[in-house]
Amino acid sequence: GENVEQHPSTLSVQEGDSAVIKCTYSDSASNYFPWYKQELGKRPQLIIDIRSNVGEKKDQRIAVTLNKTAKHFSLHITETQPEDSAVYFCAASPNQGGKLIFGQGTELSVKP
Amino acid sequence: ETGVTQTPRHLVMGMTNKKSLKCEQHLGHNAMYWYKQSAKKPLELMFVYNFKEQTENNSVPSRFSPECPNSSHLFLHLHTLQPEDSALYLCASSLLAVGELFFGEGSRLTVL
């Protein structure tokens, strides 16, 4: 089955800097790769996703890149703000939706 | 309001008790999921239901028993749990072939 590895487990940046979180997956059949943000005490919420027919996707300060050959994908957050502080999870799905297998999570701390 | 409601939000039970967690979605989705979130582990997929039929049981111990009477409701029946089962149990729903999972707020379970 699918296995998703996520690094780093914790990341601390200064406000205004960029943050990068990386994930690798094992199942070459996976074709949908979302990223979720979970604030303390809240539910995980989708912030951006990418499908296997696209190499990069951007939404304002957030971008995701996908390298299918290497089976890895990354989340890039530019001009970080304190409200970006949260735990971020990557995930992969072989079904173009349906069940998601999550990475271990990255706790991002943005210091003012 | 995300459209996915979980009750109870907090539950404390002894190892010999029987209790149930309830999830309800008002989004017209056709798939529902149970995930377990522990402090040191990623979001672990437990069960998947598509059109109220169980399509995945991710090697979950039999002391956890899911029930999906229709596409809008999902239960997790608990009996003779262990202290290591203490965790946040998250319900989610999705529209198959679209991808995004919508999570509930979770039920925080403590087993004494």
Side-chain angles (χ1 to χ4, degrees), chain B residues 3-23:
Chain B
V4 181
T5 305
Q6 288 187 243
T7 55
R9 294 291 311 280
H10 299 273
L11 178 63
V12 180
M13 60 187 288
M15 289 191 286
T16 58
N17 291 159
K18 289 185 179 181
K19 298 285 185 182
S20 295
L21 307 180
K22 179 183 177 182
C23 177

Side-chain angles (χ1 to χ4, degrees), chain A residues 41-107:
Chain A
K42 302 282 185 68
R43 71 177 72 88
Q45 291 190 289
L46 179 73
I47 55 171
I48 194 167
D49 57 12
I50 191 167
R51 299 185 188 273
S52 57
N53 58 346
V54 176
E56 184 174 358
K57 185 177 178 180
K58 190 173 181 179
D59 182 4
Q60 299 183 331
R61 297 186 297 107
I62 295 173
V64 57
T65 58
L66 171 65
N67 183 326
K68 284 184 61 180
T69 302
K71 288 192 278 190
H72 66 71
F73 55 113
S74 301
L75 178 71
H76 305 253
I77 305 175
T78 58
E79 300 172 25
T80 54
Q81 301 167 3
E83 51 264 39
D84 294 329
S85 296
V87 178
Y88 291 81
F89 292 95
C90 63
S93 173
N95 302 323
Q96 196 77 274
K99 72 173 186 180
L100 293 178
I101 304 302
F102 285 87
Q104 294 87 341
T106 296
E107 184 174 0

